[in-house]
Amino acid sequence: MAESHYDVAVIGAGPGGYAAAFQAADLGLRTALIDQEAQPGGVCLLRGCIPSKALLHAARVISEAEEAQAWGIQFEKPRIDLDTLRRRVRAIITKLTKGVQTLAGSRKVELIQARATFKNGTTLSLRSGGNSRELTFAHAILATGSRPVAPASLKIDDPRVMDSTGALDLPEIPGRLLVVGGGYIGLELGTVYQALGSEVTLVEALPRLLNGADADLVRPLHQRMEKRFKAIKLETKVDKLVPQKEGIAATLAGPDGSTSEVFDRVLVAVGRRPNTEELGLDTTKAALSSKGFVQVDRQLRTAEPTIFAIGDITGEPMLAHKSTHEGLAAARVISGKHASFDAAVIPAVVFTDPEIAWCGLTEEAAKASGQAVTVTKFPWLASGRATTLGRNDGLTKLVFDKESGRVLGVGICGVGAGELIAEGVLAVEMGAVAEDVAASIHPHPTLSETVMEAAESFHGQPTHLYTKR
Ligand code: NAD
C-alpha cells in the first residue's frame, strides 16, 4: 500500500479531531491527523476554551482579592502586567498543544500540517507552503470546526472592533468596552475585561442573557454583572459602528429608542458559523443543511459512505466535549465496531462568575412541551459550604419525571457549577431516580450537597430547608 494511503484521515486537529485520530490509532488503524495550523488543538486549545479559561481564572483572582475586604483582608488595587499575563496564557497553550503532539507521537498518529481539500470520496489534496500533494484514505473524518460570524453592520475593518480571537490576544485593556451579544463568549470575555479594569457595556438583542438556560439560573449572574458592568442593555441591537479618531461610535437601538455612544473597543460575539466552505465537499456526496452544517446520521456518516463528520460542523450545540464524543464514536464505527453517538445529554457550562451549567431537560423546555415534571430547587442560601465561601448567590435545581422520579435534567448556578454538573450528567445518563441521588452520601461541607438536597425535596424535605406544603 502506498505510503500516502491511510485507513483514516482526520481533517482538523481540535478536541474532536484529535480524539477521533487517537481512538482510530488505538483501534489499530493507520491514521493521519491533518491541520493547517502548526500546532494541534484547534480553536478550543489555541484561541477558545483554554485561553479564555486561563483569563477567567485571572479575573477570578482579582475579584476574590477585592471581595476579601469583607473578611478583613485588604489587598492593594491590582497592577496588571499585560505582557506577563499574555506570556502565561501562551505558556499554557504551548504546554497543552505539546501534550497533544506527544500523545499523537506515542500512538503513531501522523501529524500533517497542510490545508486539505477533497478531490473525491477517497482522495485529499494537501497544500502547504506552495507545495501540493495527494493523500488517499479508506475513511475520512471531517472536524474543521467553526469561526465567529458578524452581520454586515458590525463588520468594520478597524482593529478596535474585535471578535473572540482578537479579544483573547489582549491587545490592551480598553477604558470603555462594548460587548455585543449576551451569549457564552460575550459574558465570559466581558467578565475578563471588567475584572482587568474595563468599563463594560453589554448589549443583547433578546429580552434576556443566555437564552436557552432557565431564567432563574441566569438571574444570580445577571444581578452580579449588573453591579460590575457599566450597563447591561437587553432587547438592544447595534445598528451601526462608525470608526472615529477617539473611538468607535455605536448606535444602539433599544426599547427606549436609539442612542449613540463612543467606545474604545468593541467585542462582537453574536454566534459562530461552521467551516464547511472550500473543502471540496462538492466533489463528494456529502450534503450540507441550509445553515451550512454537514448532514450526518447517528453514526456520524455523511451521504458519502467513506466520509464522516463531527463537532461544530454537524450543528448545535457547538461544544468541544460534544465533538470529542462524536469523534470517538466515528472512529469506532470506522473500525467496524457497533457504535453511534447516542448521548442522552450534552452539558453546557458558561464559565462566568457565578458559573451556569445545565444538562438535559430544562424547566422551561418541559413547560413549553407540556411534559409532566416535578422541579425541585435548593437555593445556596441554605448551603453551609456556599456560606463559608461568601457565595450564597447560587441555585441548584433538578427536573424529574413526575411519575417515576427519574432525573431528566439538572441546572446549577454558582461558583464551581461547571464541575458540579458532571454529577447531573451521570445521573441522567445512568437513569438515576431521585432516591439514588438523595441516598448517595455527599461529602460535607461541599457544594455537591446542594444536588443531594435538591433530590431529597422530591420525596420530602431536605435537611437544610423547610418548605410549607
Ligand atoms: P451565542 O449564540 O452563545 O450568543 C450570541 C448572543 O448574541 C445571543 O444571545 C444573541 O441573541 C445575541 N445577538 C445576536 N445578534 C445580535 C446583535 N446584532 N446585537 C446584540 N445581540 C445579538 O454565541 P457566542 O457567544 O458568539 O458563542 C458562540 C458559540 O461558541 C456558542 O454557542 C458556544 O457553542 C461556543 N462557546 C462555548 C463556550 C463554553 O462552552 N463555555 C464558550 C464560548 C463559546
Side-chain angles (χ1 to χ4, degrees), residues 51-63 88 92 192 351:
S52 63
K53 262 76 266 177
L55 291 174
L56 279 159
H57 173 68
R60 181 80 192 280
V61 170
I62 294 170
S63 62
R88 177 87 196 192
I92 293 167
V192 168
F351 291 87

Side-chain angles (χ1 to χ4, degrees), residues 105-123:
S106 320
R107 291 172 148 107
K108 305 205 169 19
V109 167
E110 190 166 338
L111 283 176
I112 300 174
Q113 186 188 356
R115 164 100 199 149
T117 43
F118 287 100
K119 286 194 80 174
N120 54 50
T122 52
T123 313

Side-chain angles (χ1 to χ4, degrees), residues 226-439:
E226 237 166 12
K227 286 191 207 126
R228 296 179 158 256
F229 284 17
K230 182 178 175 229
I232 296 177
K233 296 174 188 274
L234 300 177
E235 292 181 84
T236 303
K237 278 194 144 184
V238 178
D239 274 348
K240 219 167 44 176
L241 293 175
V242 181
Q244 294 177 347
K245 196 159 160 270
E246 66 279 16
I248 303 285
T251 310
L252 312 180
D256 305 325
S258 196
T259 55
S260 185
E261 271 183 66
V262 178
F263 297 90
D264 299 304
R265 281 189 180 255
V266 178
L267 163 63
V268 180
V270 295
R272 298 181 66 87
R273 157 189 303 168
N275 293 328
T276 48
E277 305 97 342
E278 294 169 30
L279 288 170
L281 280 175
D282 51 335
T283 65
T284 75
K285 291 198 213 89
L288 300 184
S289 73
S290 58
K291 287 188 171 165
F293 292 111
V294 182
Q295 291 178 318
V296 290
D297 62 17
R298 277 164 51 88
Q299 291 193 310
L300 293 316
R301 202 186 292 266
T302 68
E304 178 72 58
T306 51
I307 301 177
F308 290 65
I310 60 164
D312 288 7
I313 57 167
T314 66
E316 301 278 358
M318 294 197 223
L319 298 172
H321 42 272
K322 172 203 147 214
S323 189
T324 300
H325 280 265
E326 287 183 342
L328 297 176
R332 287 176 191 144
V333 173
I334 290 170
S335 79
K337 290 195 181 298
H338 183 71
S340 62
F341 179 72
D342 65 351
V345 291
I346 300 166
V349 180
V350 191
F351 291 87
T352 39
D353 183 16
E355 294 178 351
I356 299 184
W358 68 99
C359 71
L361 188 64
T362 64
E363 182 178 6
E364 289 176 14
K367 257 194 201 128
S369 67
Q371 201 165 335
V373 295
T374 298
V375 179
T376 64
K377 301 184 186 183
F378 190 83
W380 287 25
L381 256 181
S383 156
R385 183 63 181 133
T387 308
T388 65
L389 295 169
R391 294 302 300 265
N392 290 111
D393 56 335
L395 175 70
T396 298
K397 68 196 272 190
L398 299 183
V399 180
F400 298 98
D401 177 69
K402 200 178 182 91
E403 194 139 322
S404 64
R406 189 172 163 162
V407 185
L408 301 177
V410 178
I412 307 175
C413 175
V415 287
E419 305 290 338
L420 294 171
I421 197 65
E423 177 179 4
V425 174
L426 198 64
V428 180
E429 283 286 354
M430 301 297 289
V433 292
E435 250 172 322
D436 294 324
V437 181

